């Protein structure tokens, strides 16, 4: 009888293990199985950590919050946060909220919020406020990126001196042979508001203006001994290009760790096209619910 019970228990355990459906799996750069603990261990040694997200993926946002909390436990006052989701000209109002000068409602009214701010980014901002962590609005104002998409990088020269404070120092150089920009150019141009035409090259340059500006504000707010955790769409840091290309040009000695978030029908079999795309690859089921 005891033997039968033991067999049943073992069978039940095995069935439960087989039936388990993890919400994510973590892989190394070469798509070898890894773990959150190993990813966090490397993150703790980085000067700058890029969490490349899928904007509408709730698991990615949950993991961002966990990484934020765990890095804060290790770094305390030496942790700095930053995000693509906040434009540089909103730094004042972001700081006012972090310091408790204005309310959350005032902050959300005054700043240019993404539609999923409340569910996906507010938890990180509120954690920063509670623990007095600097949070940097790194992205170029969207109106300036729009200028570039229509008129190229030279269009930024017309900005006032005040306007230029929200952009990477001019002139912004770009290498359009980098795979991310080259792929974007393959998609061709498009028509904008009012019938204006945006060339494929200018669309890639607009992307570069974002990458260069984010790199600029990351470096401006990082110093030796600090750790900067940056949240952005994976395409801004994948293949160690985008933002990282500009960072390495300015400071080749930076230790940078990256995370790429992907969606797969079977997260146990990540697509080999993602090999080498980041220091760590987080695979999430493609049928995961979306934030929006």
């Amino acid at each position: 009888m005891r033997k039968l019970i033991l067999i049943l228990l073992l069978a039940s355990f095995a069935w439960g293990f087989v039936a388990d459906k993890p919400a994510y799996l973590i892989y190394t750069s070469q798509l070898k199985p890894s773990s959150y603990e190993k990813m966090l261990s490397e993150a703790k040694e980085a000067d700058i950590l890029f969490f490349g997200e899928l904007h509408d993926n709730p698991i990615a946002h949950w993991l961002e919050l966990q990484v934020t909390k765990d890095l804060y436990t290790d770094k305390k006052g030496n942790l700095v946060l930053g995000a693509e989701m906040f434009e540089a000209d909103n730094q004042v109002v972001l700081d006012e909220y972090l310091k408790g000068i204005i309310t959350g409602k005032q902050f959300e009214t005054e700043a240019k919020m993404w539609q999923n701010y409340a569910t996906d980014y507010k938890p990180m901002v509120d954690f920063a406020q509670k623990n007095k962590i600097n949070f940097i609005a790194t992205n170029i104002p969207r109106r300036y990126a729009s200028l570039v998409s229509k008129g190229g990088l030279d269009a930024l020269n017309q900005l006032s001196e005040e306007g230029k404070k929200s952009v990477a120092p001019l002139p912004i150089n770009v290498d359009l042979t980098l795979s991310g920009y080259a792929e974007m150019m393959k998609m061709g141009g498009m028509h904008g508001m009012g019938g204006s035409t945006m060339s494929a090259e200018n669309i890639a340059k607009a992307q570069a203006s974002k990458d260069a500006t984010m790199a600029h504000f990351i470096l401006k707010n990082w110093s030796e001994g600090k750790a900067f955790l940056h949240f952005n769409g994976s395409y801004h840091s994948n293949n160690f290009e985008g933002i990282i290309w500009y960072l390495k040009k300015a400071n080749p000695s930076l230790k940078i760790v990256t995370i790429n978030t992907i969606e797969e029908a079977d997260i146990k079999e990540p697509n080999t096209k993602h090999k080498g795309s980041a220091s760590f690859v987080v695979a999430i089921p493609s049928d995961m619910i979306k934030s929006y």
Side-chain angles (χ1 to χ4, degrees), residues 63-231:
L63 277 170
E64 286 172 332
L65 182 60
Q66 304 316 305
V67 171
T68 300
K69 290 179 176 180
D70 290 334
L71 279 183
Y72 176 72
T73 298
D74 184 70
K75 303 293 183 180
K76 293 295 191 273
N78 287 322
L79 178 64
V80 182
L81 303 179
E84 168 196 2
M85 300 79 200
F86 299 101
E87 297 168 27
D89 58 348
N90 279 165
Q91 188 66 59
V92 171
V93 69
L94 175 55
D95 285 343
E96 288 172 348
Y97 175 61
L98 293 173
K99 294 175 182 177
I101 297 172
I102 62 173
T103 66
K105 184 176 181 180
Q106 288 173 315
F107 172 49
E108 292 178 36
T109 300
E110 295 289 335
K112 292 165 282 186
M113 296 298 189
W114 286 24
Q115 61 179 322
N116 56 327
Y117 167 76
T119 56
D120 298 338
Y121 305 113
K122 188 176 187 295
M124 275 91 77
V125 175
D126 287 351
F127 184 82
Q129 184 196 50
K130 178 181 177 181
N131 294 285
K132 297 179 171 51
I133 303 171
N134 286 339
F135 201 120
I136 310 303
T138 60
N139 208 354
I140 188 172
R142 64 192 73 175
R143 62 187 183 278
Y144 297 160
S146 179
L147 282 177
V148 177
S149 68
K150 296 171 185 175
L153 288 165
D154 288 343
L156 296 174
N157 294 329
Q158 65 189 293
L159 299 181
S160 67
E161 291 307 308
E162 187 63 28
K164 289 176 182 176
K165 292 179 181 179
S166 298
V167 180
L170 303 180
I172 294 174
N173 296 314
V174 57
D175 181 356
L176 294 177
T177 66
L178 293 173
S179 62
Y181 302 142
E183 192 64 32
M184 191 170 288
M185 291 173 65
K186 287 180 184 177
M187 295 187 292
M190 58 187 293
H191 294 289
M193 296 288 289
S196 61
T197 301
M198 293 176 281
S199 71
E201 182 174 318
N202 282 346
I203 292 172
K205 287 180 178 178
Q207 179 84 342
S209 73
K210 297 177 183 181
D211 293 334
T213 298
M214 287 189 273
H216 168 67
F217 284 108
I218 289 171
L219 280 178
K220 186 176 180 180
N221 291 279
W222 174 84
S223 58
E224 196 74 37
K226 290 189 177 292
F228 198 119
L229 169 56
H230 193 263
F231 309 113

